[in-house]
Amino acid sequence: MKRLSNRTIFLLILMGVLVLGLGFFTVRYFLYAGEWVTFQGSPHVYSGSNLSSGKVTDRDGVLLLDSTDGRVYAEDPVIRAATMHLLGDRYGYISAPVLTEYADYLVGFNPVNGIFGQNQGANTAVLSISAQVQKVAYEALGNYHGTVGVYNYKTGEILCAVTSPSYDPDNMPDVEGDQTGAYDGVYLNRFFQTSTVPGSIFKIVTAAAALETLGDLSGRTFTCNGTLDIGGDTLVCNGTHGAQTLTQAFANSCNVAFGHLAMELGPDVLEAYAEKLGITESLTFDGLTTAAGSFDLTDAADFEVAWSGCGQYNDLINPCQYLTVLGVIANGGEAALPYMMDRVEGGLLNGYEHGKVTTGRVLDRSVTDTVAQMMRNNVVNVYGAWQFPDLEVCAKSGTAELSPGDTPNATFAGFIRDENYPLAFIVIIEHGGAGSAAAAPIAGQVLNACVSVLDAE
């Protein structure tokens, strides 16, 4: 009897282990089966490196990609080129992390039928981008290398994420044999994967830090004689501005005034605000991880601190992440985080819909309102409100200096203050020169296209 009892206990323990193991596997199956089935390289889901299931449309239903039978891109060749860095090309030179991230939804996988149900490959991903805005931005960049981004700072929707150069995936050029430089860096998504010198658009950050930590600056003036000597080094301004208020110095993009402010703030405060606004961090969403920016004043001399406050020295920003900085200023201190996959239309068990995520409270509203008003003053009194008819655009331009002898990068960034069009934007043109001259007109064209799209919805 004792031997029988021991065997019974052993069998019960064994059955308990089997039940626990089965339960553990079942939980993991329902949590991770979609990832197991759609691992990259699966012959059931991928053709080479490309997902071979599902359709992709823009926010208004324009077909961008149909992978249910081969790989069919949009009808318009300009739209094909303008969205190629988001959807990938035919040969795997350019990947599409967004499609890979949502592969289980696109193939119609569910834990009951697997990928062999009647809806296999029939699901449709709806991106937040507008094909029309992508087209306008790509054409506006012309032969420039650079990027244009626009997002809704209240919802997080990315309406535009264009990078140039690009090419029509249905008519791929001889990239390797090109000797003109037209396709330099073509495999790089400049909106997500690069970090670049911001130039004076970074003065938005310096101004916010000064307003929040140095108290009331409305009565102060900053005198600019064209240069500022700092410890034997000379900080050169773009003009001789004389005595000026903070608003005037911001409009003049005065390096002397912002060099003074940066040194008064000090390296620790500047680094804290760069970190606070996420500039040194990567964003991760929709299978994408953006490049991180850089703001490091470790052992920096006073001149380097001053130059950094002007958006130079070793300052770097990622264009996509910097949109959230602009969103924080536009939206009173808190902004939505960006996303591009709006939803995947499928059955009850295999659909997807994005949920809103925000930065949380970053800056005080009184600070953001003041910076926004200074940015509005720039447009009205410097850049020309005529470039943005009927839109309350607030902006800052930048001329980002590179190596000696190189034409600077042109940068232009800002937002629309309007509940109907809550859009932040950034334009970066490599070797474009002055931001207000080269990048502002592109921003105007793209914003007008965004407004037309939103009005039609």
Side-chain angles (χ1 to χ4, degrees), residues 367-420:
V367 171
T368 61
D369 286 351
T370 301
V371 176
Q373 191 55 44
M374 292 196 301
M375 294 173 69
R376 179 59 183 165
N377 177 71
N378 289 352
V379 174
V380 173
N381 293 310
V382 181
Y383 312 136
W386 56 267
Q387 297 193 80
F388 316 97
D390 302 320
L391 297 176
E392 190 179 348
V393 172
C394 308
K396 181 73 186 79
S397 67
T399 304
E401 297 184 17
L402 306 173
S403 301
D406 284 347
T407 302
N409 287 352
T411 59
F412 195 75
F415 49 85
I416 303 175
R417 277 197 303 194
D418 191 318
E419 289 295 321
N420 296 317

Side-chain angles (χ1 to χ4, degrees), residues 153-155 331 334-338 354-362:
Y153 53 78
K154 290 189 177 294
T155 66
N331 202 44
E334 179 178 3
L337 290 173
H354 177 81
K356 180 180 175 181
V357 184
T358 75
T359 61
R361 173 64 54 181
V362 178

Side-chain angles (χ1 to χ4, degrees), residues 90-322:
R90 292 188 179 281
Y91 309 105
Y93 295 118
I94 295 174
S95 62
V98 175
L99 304 188
T100 300
E101 177 73 5
Y102 296 97
D104 51 336
Y105 294 102
L106 281 165
V107 302
F109 172 82
N110 71 61
V112 177
N113 293 328
I115 63 172
F116 298 105
Q118 61 180 355
N119 292 323
Q120 180 186 358
N123 287 357
T124 298
V126 181
L127 302 185
S128 62
I129 63 167
S130 162
Q132 180 59 30
V133 175
Q134 291 280 124
K135 179 177 180 178
V136 169
Y138 184 73
E139 291 180 325
L141 280 170
N143 293 325
Y144 283 126
H145 293 190
T147 186
V148 180
V150 182
Y151 103 121
N152 184 316
Y153 53 78
K154 290 189 177 294
T155 66
E157 300 164 282
I158 296 175
L159 277 75
C160 178
V162 163
T163 183
S164 177
S166 185
Y167 57 79
D168 179 354
D170 282 346
N171 187 23
M172 183 178 177
D174 181 10
V175 174
E176 302 304 320
D178 177 68
Q179 300 295 317
T180 68
Y183 297 103
D184 288 351
V186 71
Y187 299 135
L188 190 66
N189 188 319
R190 285 164 161 80
F191 183 67
F192 294 114
Q193 297 174 327
T194 67
S195 52
T196 185
V197 180
S200 289
I201 64 172
F202 191 84
K203 288 171 181 170
I204 296 169
V205 177
T206 305
L211 287 164
E212 195 161 69
T213 61
L214 299 180
D216 185 9
L217 299 176
S218 60
R220 284 187 59 175
T221 58
F222 304 85
T223 301
C224 171
N225 295 315
T227 60
L228 178 63
D229 293 328
I230 309 172
D233 290 306
T234 302
L235 183 67
V236 179
C237 197
N238 57 8
T240 301
H241 303 117
Q244 55 194 328
T245 65
L246 179 61
T247 297
Q248 291 169 331
F250 192 70
N252 292 329
S253 200
C254 179
N255 290 340
V256 170
F258 277 83
H260 273 300
L261 279 176
M263 287 189 293
E264 188 172 348
L265 288 166
D268 291 343
V269 172
L270 285 172
E271 285 183 339
Y273 272 82
E275 182 177 347
K276 187 178 183 179
L277 287 162
I279 286 168
T280 58
E281 301 295 327
S282 297
L283 291 176
T284 300
F285 60 93
D286 293 342
L288 296 155
T289 298
T290 69
S294 174
F295 192 88
D296 185 3
L297 295 178
T298 304
D299 300 324
D302 284 347
F303 174 81
E304 294 162 336
V305 172
W307 199 217
S308 186
C310 297
Q312 296 286 166
Y313 184 42
N314 62 10
D315 299 5
L316 296 173
I317 62 167
N318 169 258
C320 180
Q321 190 283 328
Y322 203 70

